[in-house]
């Protein structure tokens, strides 16, 4: 990246920061206007954005893109508009006795931080750029967005459209490759949002730390599925198949591996296969089934399967149409179930991010719980079953970013629930009021009464009886 480009990035940040400072205080109507423009951008250009996403992937269903990237993000923008006034209200806080009687006041104000950087990924390139933006704008900030270079057409179109709907001092897209992303993450933002892999998240956090820039990291990890003994296997199998094959499994919350009772393994696998057959009777020419985004990711997934096969796993390709995948460059991969997996296999060591599903078995649910607890906290956790006691055992003895019971992934679509991880699966959260607060500065304001509180409380020298009385009162 040239020095000129680096300078341009820093100048853009400075423009936004100066505009933010000069415009303070901005009313809520301006925030509503910006959210409204973001919604209009998506609604008025939905078809073009869906076409760009499909071209970037090689094949991606416009219907899926409309649901996951366009309509869902528009709905989230409307949710932010609906709750903005309530979120932005200052809160009265308690002051210690007897200060309240003397006229002291305490309040908490949620104020904008300034300029927020958003590093968005390729798997849902519109949703994960404009979704965080909705709450960044709701909190009164400006934003710079660096989208992924893997979805080049979508990124370029987003940048072009943004320039039509927003002044660059409000919202701006910055496109380019890894060197641009690296420079972007080193900018002294007031807050930085990153969605992507845990490995890259560490690098982003390290770069942000040099500026003491707070971060929201939405990462990933190996999100487990627990099948309880009382689970409806047919229903669970179809829902797991849907979550594992939507976007060809390229979802940070996709079920990564399945834990089933040892005596129900055959039935559970058959239920997943049945779900695939019902939803995807064919795959290669089926527009509903997405391609893997790049050759590099496709080769990684194939190598992962071969690694498992070489180390003793049984490999089951779920191929409803009995199609030949060997003579195609479509980068389409059938759902591949791995049985008899071990921890030495690559598929059990890293996030899969594709249509590969390892299966493990347990004799007692506690075995599965202990296995999950011995590993990094996952971004999502899924439990299927009808036993409330078993469900609560799983939920109370494990830790994860979020949970969906009797389905997968859906907790992220609940607008009023915070979405985020724990440790290696993420830091911070957005969605819900928590997202508004994530991008706000909680500013404490204390108003002192006219009376000399310091003297009354024994805080002023010379110290004496009043001081001793105050200490005794505080220590009771």
């Amino acid at each position: 990246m040239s020095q000129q480009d680096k300078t341009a990035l820093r100048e853009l940040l400075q423009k936004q920061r100066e505009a933010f400072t000069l415009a303070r205080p901005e009313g809520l109507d301006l925030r509503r206007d910006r959210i409204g423009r973001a919604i209009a951008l998506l609604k008025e250009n939905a078809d073009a954005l869906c076409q760009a996403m499909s071209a970037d992937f090689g094949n991606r269903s416009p219907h899926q893109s409309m649901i996951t990237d366009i309509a869902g993000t528009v709905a989230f923008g409307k949710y932010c508009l609906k709750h903005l006034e309530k979120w932005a209200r200052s809160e009265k806080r308690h002051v210690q006795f007897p200060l309240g009687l003397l006229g002291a006041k305490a309040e908490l104000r949620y104020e904008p931080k300034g300029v927020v950087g958003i590093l968005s990924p390729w798997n849902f390139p519109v949703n994960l750029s404009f979704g965080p933006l909705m709450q960044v704008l709701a909190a009164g900030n400006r934003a710079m967005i660096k989208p992924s270079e893997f979805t080049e057409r979508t990124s370029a179109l987003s940048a072009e459209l943004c320039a039509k709907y927003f002044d660059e001092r409000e919202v701006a897209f910055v496109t380019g490759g890894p060197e641009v992303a690296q420079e972007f993450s080193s900018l002294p933002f007031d807050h930085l949002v990153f969605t992507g892999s845990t490995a890259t998240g560490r690098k982003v956090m390290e770069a942000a730390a040099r500026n003491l820039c707070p971060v929201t990291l939405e990462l990933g990890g190996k999100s487990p599925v627990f099948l309880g003994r009382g689970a409806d296997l047919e229903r669970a199998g179809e829902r797991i198949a849907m979550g594992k094959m939507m976007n060809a499994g390229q979802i940070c919350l996709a079920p990564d591996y399945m834990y089933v009772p040892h005596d129900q393994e055959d039935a559970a696998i058959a239920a997943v296969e049945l779900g695939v057959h019902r939803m995807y009777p064919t795959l290669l020419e089926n527009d509903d089934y997405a391609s893997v985004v790049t050759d590099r990711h496709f080769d990684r997934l194939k190598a992962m399967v071969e690694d498992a096969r070489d180390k003793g796993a049984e490999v089951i390709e779920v191929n409803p149409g009995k199609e030949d995948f060997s003579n195609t460059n479509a980068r389409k991969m059938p759902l591949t179930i791995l049985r008899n997996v071990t921890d030495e296999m690559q598929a059990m060591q890293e996030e899969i991010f594709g249509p590969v599903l390892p299966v493990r078995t347990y004799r007692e649910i506690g075995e599965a719980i202990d296995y999950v607890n011995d590993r990094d906290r996952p971004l999502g956790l899924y439990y299927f079953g009808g036993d409330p006691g078993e469900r609560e055992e799983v939920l109370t003895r494990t830790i994860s970013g979020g949970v969906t019971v009797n389905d997968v992934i859906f907790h992220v679509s609940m607008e009023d629930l915070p979405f985020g991880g724990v440790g290696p699966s993420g830091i911070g959260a957005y969605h819900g009021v928590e997202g508004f607060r994530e991008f706000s500065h909680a500013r404490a304001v204390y108003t002192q009464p006219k009376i000399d509180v310091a003297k009354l409380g024994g805080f002023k020298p010379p110290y004496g009886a009043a001081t001793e009385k105050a200490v005794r009162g505080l220590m009771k």
Side-chain angles (χ1 to χ4, degrees), residues 280-344:
Y280 299 98
T282 63
L283 298 172
L284 283 177
E285 301 302 323
N286 188 341
D287 288 342
D288 288 344
Y289 190 54
S291 298
V292 176
V293 69
T294 64
D295 290 339
R296 181 168 69 86
H297 284 278
F298 189 62
D299 291 342
R300 179 186 65 83
L301 290 166
K302 289 195 296 182
M304 182 180 288
V305 172
E306 289 312 307
D307 171 78
R309 193 194 307 271
D310 291 344
K311 292 174 180 173
E314 178 187 348
V315 177
I316 303 168
E317 282 194 356
V318 187
N319 184 356
K322 295 182 169 51
E323 297 166 286
D324 182 4
F325 286 82
S326 62
N327 296 313
T328 176
N329 59 0
R331 293 198 305 274
K332 286 197 172 183
M333 184 178 186
L335 177 63
T336 304
I337 297 172
L338 304 178
R339 294 182 69 166
N340 306 319
V341 293
T342 64
D343 290 343
E344 291 71 35

Side-chain angles (χ1 to χ4, degrees), residues 52 161 198 200 268 296 419 427 442 460:
L161 293 173
T198 300
T200 306
R296 181 168 69 86
F419 167 57
I427 294 173
K460 270 187 179 180

Side-chain angles (χ1 to χ4, degrees), residues 32 38 51 63 94 108 110 139 143 154 157-158 176 229 256 285 302 331 351 372 444-445 448 457:
R32 293 188 184 98
Q51 289 168 14
H63 289 96
H94 173 74
L108 193 64
Y110 292 102
T154 308
L157 179 58
S158 297
R229 289 194 177 276
D256 197 273
E285 301 302 323
K302 289 195 296 182
R331 293 198 305 274
E351 184 179 6
V372 171
V445 179
Q448 191 74 287

